[in-house]
Amino acid sequence: MHENRFIDLFRSTPDDDVKVEAIVALDEHAADPQVIAFLTVVTADPGEYDLARIECMKILRLWPPPAPDARRDAGRAMAAALRDDDELVRQYAAMSLGPYLDDPPVFEALTATVLHDDDLDVRHNALAAIAEAGPADRHADLLRRLAGDPELARAAARTLDRWSGEAPLR
């Protein structure tokens, strides 16, 4: 139950650095549904310390929850963070969504981001998440929509080329 200690520490401290350390320590416990739920809540809280939220997103990206409801909640929390004002949080949210693109609202949020976001870094990270998600018809269709985009067309084409040499689109 060491994870409870880190969750309690996070909740009890006003020190932002200690909060980040507590989140990082939870990485070892990412299989615990209670930890996943906690990371999702922190990710979803725009009033929480940005770097703590970013660490949560990193863990959720590396260790997507196997339970469908937890996976949906985590993906949607990160997708909602795409609307945050802080560009660094938005960049991490975009790059963390690859494992969550099977959920239609998450895919729609990432689609809007990669096509229309004002921050080029956020758009690049969204494109990287699509590439990470791998070949699927709707992913390929989205990449083809970027063919005329002056900033992302080449990267989208490279991903499509790489996918064409891999497994068939699903």
Side-chain angles (χ1 to χ4, degrees):
M1 287 298 182
H2 294 296
E3 61 273 10
N4 287 338
R5 180 173 51 107
F6 297 121
I7 291 170
D8 292 343
L9 176 61
F10 181 93
R11 289 178 174 151
S12 67
T13 185
D15 185 325
D16 289 337
D17 291 334
V18 173
K19 286 184 172 200
V20 171
E21 291 171 16
I23 295 294
V24 169
L26 288 171
D27 181 64
E28 294 179 25
H29 307 282
D32 182 326
Q34 181 181 356
V35 170
I36 292 297
F38 173 74
L39 296 173
T40 299
V41 166
V42 174
T43 296
D45 184 353
E48 192 51 78
Y49 182 49
D50 289 346
L51 294 181
R53 293 176 70 209
I54 287 168
E55 290 300 328
C56 291
M57 291 180 210
K58 288 179 185 179
I59 295 169
L60 291 169
R61 175 181 174 231
L62 292 173
W63 310 108
D69 289 348
R71 189 180 193 92
R72 180 201 62 226
D73 293 346
R76 290 181 183 184
M78 289 185 284
L82 289 172
R83 294 186 296 272
D84 280 354
D85 292 338
D86 182 86
E87 72 181 43
L88 191 59
V89 170
R90 293 176 60 247
Q91 289 170 10
Y92 273 91
M95 78 171 66
S96 298
L97 286 173
Y100 300 90
L101 294 184
D102 288 341
D103 183 19
V106 172
F107 184 76
E108 290 168 18
L110 198 69
T111 296
T113 298
V114 76
L115 293 175
H116 305 295
D117 201 275
D118 292 333
D119 186 316
L120 185 57
D121 290 331
V122 172
R123 293 181 69 217
H124 274 286
N125 290 349
L127 180 61
I130 296 162
E132 178 185 357
D137 289 338
R138 70 181 184 166
H139 301 166
D141 291 343
L142 178 55
L143 293 178
R144 286 185 201 99
R145 290 176 63 186
L146 292 168
D149 186 287
E151 286 91 11
L152 299 182
R154 288 183 52 191
R158 278 194 306 270
T159 299
L160 286 168
D161 286 346
R162 188 176 70 246
W163 287 351
S164 69
E166 293 178 3
L169 297 180
R170 56 187 195 280

